Amino acid sequence: MSAQPDNLSFGAAANDADEQETREWLDALAAVIASEGRERGHFLLEQLLEEARQHGIDMPFSATTAYVNTIEPEDEERCPGNLEIEERLRTYMRWNAMAMVVKANRLHPEDGGDLGGHISSFASLATMLGAGFNHFWHAETPDHGGDCLYIQGHSAPGIYARAFMEGRISEEQLLNFRQEVDGKGLSSYPHPKLMPEFWQFPTVSMGLGPLMAIYQARFLKYLHARGIADTSRRKVWAFLGDGEMDEVESLGAIGVAAREKLDNLIFVVNCNLQRLDGPVRGNGKIIQELEGEFRGAGWNVIKLVWGSYWDPLLARDKEGILRKIMMDVVDGDYQAMKANDGAFVRKNFFGRHPKALEMVAKMSDEDIWRLNRGGHDPQKVYAAFHSAVNHKGQPTVLLVKTVKGFGMGKAGEGKNIAHQAKKLTDDDIRTFRDRFNLPIPDEKLPEVPFYRPEEHTPEMKYLHARREALGGYLPHRRTKADEQLKVPDLEAFKAVTDATAGGREISTTQAYVRFLTALLRDKQVGPRVVPILVDEARTFGMEGLFRQIGIYNPEGQKYTPQDRDQVSYYKEDVGGQILQEGINEAGGMSSWIAAATSYSTSNRIMIPFYIYYSMFGLQRVGDLVWAAGDMQARGFLLGGTSGRTTLNGEGLQHEDGHSQLLASTVPNCVSYDPTFAHEVAVIMHHGLQRMVEKQDNVFYYITLLNENYPMPGLKPGTEEHIVKGMYLFQEGPALAKAPHVNLLGSGTILRESIAARELLEKDWGVSASVWSCPSFNELGRDGLDCERWNMLHPSEAPRVPFVAQQLDKHEGPVVASTDYMKAYAEQIRAFIPKGHSYKVLGTDGFGRSDFRSKLREHFEVNRHYIVVAALKALAEDGKVAAARVAEAIAKYGIKADKVNPLYA
C-alpha cells in the first residue's frame, strides 16, 4: 500500500494567512447550500469567479469534481422495478456466463487447445447491463426505431447468458461457445457477420466502438434532419472499458459529439480500474482523468463511484475527512482492497485518519467488506441511467466504478489475472455458487450445469414482461431493409459512358463526379445518396455540390460565407446532404459505416460515397474497413488520386501502390482500378444494383485518377466482362507471320500498355492485344474459387477461370502492368492458360515526387519497359532473338544497372 498521509494534511492549507477568515467563507457557502440548495451555491461561486477574472486574479482550472457520486442520494430517481427479482436474474446470468466459458475450456481436451473466453468483464458489468435491458433499451417497433447498443466486447458471454434465459439461444449453442465452424456456436465477441440477426455492432477491436458510436449518433440526427426517418426517440449506448479509453480512437472524436450536441449519445465507461495486465492508472485515478477529458470537451459527466452502503458514512463526514481519503487513495490501492478483505480495508483505507477509523468502529469486517462500488448498486445505476437519458443538449458519459471479476473470489476478483481467468477449479465454482446463493446441488457442481428457472416462475415472467414493455428482445439485428428502391438504368449515365467529344480530356475522378451528379437527380434514389468528404472537395472537383445539396450542419449557417458571390459557395444547412468531416479520415470512415449500415440500424437504404486520398484511406483506417466488412456494410469507398506514379507532386507520403492489395484482404469488399470513365459508370451501376436493389452484403472500393485523357466510351457487350475484371480493349493488328503478345493493365498504366502496343508494332513488328483489367482482385478470387471447386469435385468437368477463358484463344506471352505493387497482378499467374508465359511489372518501393513520366521510368512501368518485358517473353518462347531485347534496352535508353526501385 502507498504511504499514509500525515493527519495534518486534513487541516487548513499550509499557506493560509488567515485560517479564521477562510473558515467563515466556507461556513457561509455551506449555509447557503443547506438553506437554498446546491444550484444557488453554484450560482454564487460563478459570480465570484467572474468577479475575480475581472480583477485579473489568476485561477487554476480544474475540470474535475470530488471523488464522489455526481447524483446525491436525495436526488436519485427511484427504480420502479422489482430489485429482488432483478438480482436473482442477474445471479443466474452470472452463473451461466461463467459456466459457458468454463465448459468451453474443459471440453475436448484431446483438441490440445483452449478456446478462451472472458468471465471477469461481464462480472463487473452485470448490474449495468441488467438495468439497461430491464428499463431503458428499446427494441425496434413501428413507432420507435430502436436503440443502438455497442456492447463491451469481452462481456459477450453475459449477453448470451441473458439470451439463453429469454429462450433466444439454446443450450446447444451455449455448449458450442467459440465453436463456430459447424454453424451451431456463438461468436467469441460481437460479430454481425457471424451472428447476423443478433449482434448490431462489432466492438472488440478496442477504440472503434466509441468512435463509431459517436458518428452513429450523429447519423441518426442527420436522418431526422433530412426527413428520412424519425430518430427523435432513439439513443446510442456505448459500453467501454476504462483501459480501452487509452486507445486514440476512444477519445479522438468526443469534441465532435459535444459540438454537435449529440444528446442521443451515452457512453458508459466501466471503470473496474484494470486493463488486461494490471491497473489502468495505478498511480492515479482513471475516473478523475476521464472526467477532466470529457467535461473539458463539453460533455455531461455523471460519476457513479460509491454504492448505497457508503451513503450513511458520507452523510456523517461533516469535516470532509472521508472524502479526502477517497481522493488520496490511488487506483492501484483501490484494486488491492477489493483483492483482499474487510480487515485489510479497515487498516489501509479507514486507518489513514483516526476519525475515519472511528466512523467504522462499530462495523464488523464483513460490514466494511460490503461497502459497495456504485456499478454494483442497482438503485444507483438506475438513477444514473435515468439522469443520462433525460439530459438535453449534450452527450453524456457515465463513469462507473466497478470491480473486475466481481464475485469470482480468489479466482480473480480484483486481481491482475482476472482478465485471463477462464479455467476455474471445482473449489472456485463452489465459492461462486455460494457467493450468489445459486440453487445448484453439490453433486452437480463438477458438471457446471446451466441454470434456467421454469417459465411459470416469477423471475421468468418478469424477464419477459420487461422486454415486452420495451418492444422486444435485444440485441437484435435487421438483415435487410423493408423498403425497395429502383436504381436508374445505365442509360441515365450516358454523360459518363459516352466517349468524350472532340478528344476532350477528363479524369476518372471527374467521371465519378458526373456519375454522382446524375444519380442525385433521380427522385427515388437521389435523396438517399450520402456524399462524404474529408476537406478535399475542391481536390476532387466536387465543390459544385456545396450549393446544389448543401453541407449538413445541425445549426445551419450562422455566417455569410466568404465566397457567397460564387456559384459554388460554401453552403451549410440543417438539411444538407453532404457530410463534411474536416481533415479526419477516421471520422469520414465512421460516418460511412453509419450510412452503409443504415439499412440495418434504421430500416432505411442509404448510399454513401466516401472519397479520400487513396493513400490515406484503407491504409490509415484499415481496422475500420475490416469492421465495416463485419457489419455487412453497403456503399462506395473511392480512393482518389490513386497509384504510385499518378499523384506526381506529392511524394512518398501520398503515393499509393498498395491499397488494392489491402482491399483484397476484406472478403466482402469488391474492388476495382478502372482506367476509363465508362468503366467507372458500369462498375458503379452494377454496385448499385447489388447493394440497393438486391441488398447484397458487399461494399465497393474503387480507385480513381487525377490524370486527364480522352475517354473512348463504352463498347456495347463488354459490361459483364468489365464487372468480372477483364475485357479485350484492342485486338492486336494483323501482321503477317508476326509474333503476338497480350498486354494487360489497369488504371493509369493501361495507357502505357496502349502506347507500348504501338511501339511493338512500329519498332519490332510484334502484334499486341491490349486487355483492360479493372480488377485483378476479382480475377484472382474467381481463379481461386475455380481451383478450389476443381479440387473438391475431381470427377466432374473442371471449371475454367475467367482469365483463362479470355486468353485461351489469344496466343503469345502475357505482360501485366499496373501502378501497384507486383503482387497485385501476380494474383492471376496460376490461372494464365498453359503455353502462355507471364511477366508482371509494378511499382514496388517508396514513392517520390517528380513528373509522371520520370516516376514511371523510375518504377519501370512505362511503355518502354513494357516493350522490353514483351520482347523478353517472346525471346524465352523462341519467337524473337534475345539480341532484340538488348537492342530495345539500348534504343529506349534504359539504364540496366540502375538500383532496383524497391530498394532505391
Side-chain angles (χ1 to χ4, degrees), residues 5 25 62 152 260 265 486 689 696 731 761 820 861 895:
W25 276 88
S62 175
Q152 194 174 346
E260 305 239 348
L265 175 65
K486 177 71 172 66
Q689 289 178 318
D696 287 349
E731 183 78 66
E761 178 186 355
Y820 287 84
V861 293
K895 300 173 183 176

Side-chain angles (χ1 to χ4, degrees), residues 100-119 175-180 188-189 419-424:
M100 184 189 327
V101 176
V102 170
K103 280 176 174 287
N105 290 283
R106 285 188 174 187
L107 297 175
H108 308 297
E110 71 281 0
D111 246 358
D114 298 329
L115 288 168
H118 303 277
I119 302 172
L175 288 170
N176 281 280
F177 173 61
R178 290 194 168 200
Q179 300 163 67
E180 306 165 57
S188 52
Y189 302 120
H419 194 80
Q420 279 70 35
K422 52 205 61 156
K423 290 182 178 181
L424 302 189

Side-chain angles (χ1 to χ4, degrees), residues 247-529:
E247 288 283 5
V248 175
E249 295 90 345
S250 295
L251 295 171
I254 61 174
V256 173
R259 183 172 66 246
E260 305 239 348
K261 300 181 175 61
L262 299 182
D263 51 12
N264 60 340
L265 175 65
I266 299 169
F267 275 15
V268 183
V269 185
N270 178 24
C271 297
N272 57 35
L273 313 185
Q274 291 182 236
R275 292 190 291 222
L276 278 62
D277 291 334
V280 179
R281 294 291 183 273
N283 293 326
K285 276 186 165 53
I286 188 60
I287 288 179
Q288 298 300 98
E289 180 181 319
L290 292 175
E291 179 187 21
E293 296 271 10
F294 280 95
R295 194 183 300 282
W299 286 53
N300 173 45
V301 180
I302 299 174
K303 292 197 296 190
L304 176 51
V305 185
W306 308 110
S308 300
Y309 293 129
W310 286 92
D311 288 345
L313 293 175
L314 286 165
R316 287 157 44 199
D317 184 35
K318 303 302 182 185
E319 298 179 54
I321 292 170
L322 184 54
R323 285 172 171 79
K324 182 83 168 63
I325 294 174
M326 288 173 167
M327 186 66 84
D328 285 345
V329 175
V330 296
D331 283 355
D333 286 342
Y334 276 122
Q335 181 188 344
M337 289 171 191
K338 279 304 178 186
N340 284 280
D341 55 21
F344 185 91
V345 176
R346 184 191 301 274
K347 176 183 178 182
N348 292 284
F349 182 83
F350 294 102
R352 291 174 175 241
H353 195 280
K355 291 188 177 180
L357 272 176
E358 187 179 333
M359 282 184 185
V360 296
K362 296 182 179 180
M363 296 175 64
S364 66
D365 289 345
E366 289 74 17
D367 291 334
I368 290 176
W369 184 244
R370 278 196 294 270
L371 292 170
N372 54 345
R373 291 183 179 175
H376 301 296
D377 188 314
Q379 164 53 38
K380 289 194 178 291
V381 168
Y382 178 89
F385 281 17
H386 183 274
S387 178
V389 298
N390 287 285
H391 187 78
K392 301 297 181 185
Q394 290 174 292
T396 293
V397 60
L398 294 108
L399 305 174
V400 186
K401 192 173 184 180
T402 64
V403 181
K404 191 156 191 173
F406 180 78
M408 293 175 65
K410 294 179 180 179
E413 185 164 1
K415 298 182 184 296
N416 283 339
I417 53 101
H419 194 80
Q420 279 70 35
K422 52 205 61 156
K423 290 182 178 181
L424 302 189
T425 66
D426 288 348
D427 285 342
D428 293 332
I429 292 167
R430 183 184 304 276
T431 300
F432 195 104
R433 189 269 318 261
D434 295 344
R435 171 82 173 264
F436 294 108
N437 195 27
L438 283 145
I440 311 290
D442 287 349
E443 62 273 15
K444 291 286 186 180
L445 285 178
E447 302 173 20
V448 202
F450 298 119
Y451 180 78
R452 180 166 56 193
E454 297 294 330
E455 285 296 320
H456 65 271
T457 58
E459 294 95 331
M460 295 300 283
K461 289 181 178 179
Y462 185 89
L463 177 75
H464 292 298
R466 292 313 310 143
R467 288 315 309 163
E468 184 179 351
L470 290 166
Y473 299 101
L474 287 175
H476 174 76
R477 181 180 176 276
R478 170 185 288 280
T479 58
K480 290 184 182 293
D482 289 332
E483 62 183 2
Q484 293 182 327
L485 301 180
K486 177 71 172 66
V487 172
D489 294 334
L490 185 59
E491 188 71 14
F493 303 98
K494 282 181 64 64
V496 192
T497 58
D498 284 353
T500 48
R504 186 181 173 213
E505 298 184 344
I506 67 169
S507 67
T508 53
T509 298
Q510 288 172 278
Y512 153 66
V513 175
R514 288 183 180 184
F515 184 95
L516 187 64
T517 302
L519 188 63
L520 285 165
R521 295 193 191 106
D522 186 83
K523 292 183 179 179
Q524 186 180 45
V525 175
R528 302 305 182 88
V529 171

Side-chain angles (χ1 to χ4, degrees), residues 139-202:
E140 181 186 353
T141 60
D143 62 346
H144 193 298
D147 292 326
C148 297
L149 305 181
Y150 290 78
I151 299 294
Q152 194 174 346
H154 293 113
S155 66
I159 308 301
Y160 295 142
R162 182 179 188 89
F164 170 66
M165 296 281 291
E166 295 168 337
R168 303 170 61 210
I169 285 178
S170 67
E171 183 168 332
E172 182 185 23
Q173 287 176 289
L174 294 187
L175 288 170
N176 281 280
F177 173 61
R178 290 194 168 200
Q179 300 163 67
E180 306 165 57
V181 171
D182 292 329
K184 300 176 182 177
L186 302 173
S187 63
S188 52
Y189 302 120
H191 291 300
K193 165 65 179 173
L194 299 174
M195 297 180 68
E197 295 182 353
F198 192 82
W199 293 114
Q200 293 177 311
F201 310 102

